[in-house]
Amino acid sequence: MSQPFERASMQETEATMSAFLPVLILSLVMVAWFGFQAAQLRNERDAMRELMTNQDKQMQESKKLRDSLDAIARGTAQLADAGNANARLVIDELKKRGVTVNPNPPATSSESTTPVVPMPAK
């Protein structure tokens, strides 16, 4: 007689299994996934910050080069206005190529004309 009783209790146990273990495993996997994603995003943010820092020096050097080229072009334009034939030829060739030379120097400012968006601090 003990056999029917044991079968009944096994069936009841199987029917009333708890959802705790699957939910626990799922939540642990989700926490691990979010942690991995957060670490990846942080690494990418640090790499972007480093790239921007490395570009600052190059931007300053390119601005210096641009300023010196503009000064040479302004000087050439002034010579052309004064009647120098060679300077007039250079200015005309630049105009043919779509380069305009402004003989008046731009207002000096310590800020570049390109807006820089600052990165948030850590």
Side-chain angles (χ1 to χ4, degrees):
M1 287 258 170
S2 66
Q3 285 180 341
F5 180 71
E6 287 177 17
R7 282 187 182 175
S9 68
M10 286 180 94
Q11 288 174 351
E12 286 176 13
T13 306
E14 290 175 1
T16 60
M17 289 200 76
S18 173
F20 175 74
L21 186 61
V23 171
L24 177 67
I25 291 171
L26 179 66
S27 60
L28 289 176
V29 166
M30 292 294 290
V31 166
W33 178 253
F34 290 146
F36 171 75
Q37 288 295 321
Q40 288 296 103
L41 288 173
R42 185 173 187 183
N43 289 340
E44 288 179 13
R45 183 187 65 196
D46 291 341
M48 289 291 288
R49 233 184 232 144
E50 184 178 340
L51 284 173
M52 287 184 66
T53 303
N54 292 341
Q55 284 182 349
D56 284 342
K57 183 179 178 185
Q58 293 173 353
M59 290 291 289
Q60 291 171 355
E61 290 175 3
S62 69
K63 185 171 179 351
K64 287 179 187 177
L65 179 63
R66 175 64 186 234
D67 290 343
S68 66
L69 290 174
D70 285 344
I72 291 171
R74 276 194 304 276
T76 306
Q78 288 172 352
L79 284 174
D81 290 341
N84 188 317
N86 291 330
R88 172 58 40 206
L89 180 65
V90 169
I91 295 297
D92 289 341
E93 287 298 319
L94 286 174
K95 284 183 182 178
K96 285 181 187 176
R97 289 176 172 79
V99 177
T100 57
V101 178
N102 185 6
N104 302 324
T108 57
S109 68
S110 61
E111 308 231 355
S112 67
T113 57
T114 307
V116 176
V117 179
M119 294 287 293
K122 283 186 178 179

